[in-house]
Amino acid sequence: MIKVLVNGALGRMGRTVCAAVNADSELELVGAVDVLEGTVEGLQVATNLDAALKSLSPDVMVDFTRPAVVFGNVMTALANKVSPVVGTTGLSDDAKEQIRRRAEEMDTPAFIAPNFALGAVLMMLAAQRIAKFMPDVEIIELHHDNKLDAPSGTAELTAKMIAQVRPPHKQGHPDEVERLAHVRGADVDGIRIHSVRLPGYVAHQEVIFGGLGQTLTIRHDSTGRDSFMPGVVLACKKVRTLRGLTIGLDKLLD
Ligand code: NAD
């Protein structure tokens, strides 16, 4: 049995993860931590992560908290030789580099996925393949209005994956003028990302490719948080077999 502690256990994702861990025969939910007090899946939620890691000795800490605290949580887990499985978005490239170094130093593998939904991972891989042939592309990501960070980690990773395969490329009109600030979205390696935040959405993304006389759109919709659970459960089972820091669910798929 792989012992799992869930951090952010009283949040929307945290509660769903606790239930998914409990339902899996190879995983055991040994602890739940949050800054709030409460119970989840019959467990009393602890409020001190370091103390909970020391007393419960889990193999894995799943983190679905907030962008502002996730780095500290991951460092606390690594200091206790507990493998972090991180769903919280908003970690900078520099923070990920520090996590990579610390994971190697502590000989404790770590895993981060900006999106745990299988369909979203397939969308990113498909986008990367299509961009070789249709390099003009923009991304629209749409999320619920309680999301704290923009753009979504998925949109940023999609743009970076596309940038890896297409040659440096200037798209749009060279004399284009933004009459309103940011109206053309953010620029990631020359690819525009547009973020929509509205009640009613969960997590959605469109990748739109434009070519001569045609467009091609691929779209992924997470209509419920259960879409992320098979990926989280898989990461909990595989993380201890990895080395250093691994980023992206695609790395765990055969
Ligand atoms: P939420 O606000 O519902 O839950 C966050 C929980 O974390 C809350 O219960 C809060 O009290 C708790 N928390 C805050 N600070 C904490 C700390 N220092 N220690 C412990 N707990 C703390 O948010 P959510 O919708 O569950 O999303 C959480 C994160 O997961 C966000 O960053 C979101 O973007 C990300 N997310 C990632 C994926 C993915 O597939 N990777 C999917 C959905 C959401």
Side-chain angles (χ1 to χ4, degrees), residues 92-109:
S92 66
D93 288 345
D94 180 54
K96 286 179 197 155
E97 202 39 51
Q98 288 186 56
I99 291 169
R100 184 185 303 282
R101 281 202 297 272
R102 188 70 173 138
E104 283 165 7
E105 202 174 273
M106 295 304 291
D107 200 16
T108 304

Side-chain angles (χ1 to χ4, degrees), residues 7 11-13 34 64-66 87 89 113-116 147 228:
N7 195 27
R12 287 170 293 242
M13 286 297 290
D34 203 289
F64 280 97
T65 56
R66 296 165 67 101
T89 48
N115 201 315
F116 277 99
K147 185 167 174 58
F228 304 113

Side-chain angles (χ1 to χ4, degrees), residues 63-64 66-68 70 86-91 113-115 147 149 151-154:
D63 192 287
F64 280 97
R66 296 165 67 101
V70 56
V86 181
T88 313
T89 48
L91 280 167
N115 201 315
K147 185 167 174 58
D149 55 320
S152 71
T154 307

Side-chain angles (χ1 to χ4, degrees), residues 6-16 33-37 45-47 49 63-70 73 86-90 112-117 120 143-144 146-149 152-154 202-203 222 225 227-229 232:
V6 176
N7 195 27
L10 293 177
R12 287 170 293 242
M13 286 297 290
R15 282 187 182 279
T16 317
V33 175
D34 203 289
V35 282
L36 306 173
E37 289 183 359
V45 173
T47 51
L49 176 63
D63 192 287
F64 280 97
T65 56
R66 296 165 67 101
V69 299
V70 56
N73 297 340
V86 181
T88 313
T89 48
I112 299 173
N115 201 315
F116 277 99
H143 281 79
H144 60 87
N146 284 312
K147 185 167 174 58
L148 291 173
D149 55 320
S152 71
T154 307
V202 178
S222 275
R225 290 185 172 79
S227 64
F228 304 113
M229 293 308 115
V232 175

Side-chain angles (χ1 to χ4, degrees), residues 3 16 19-20 41 68 106-107 110 116 145-146 153 166 191 206 208 226 244 247:
K3 294 197 278 177
T16 317
E41 294 290 308
M106 295 304 291
D107 200 16
F116 277 99
D145 60 347
N146 284 312
R166 71 171 198 173
I191 298 162
E206 281 182 14
I208 308 171
D226 43 354
I247 300 177

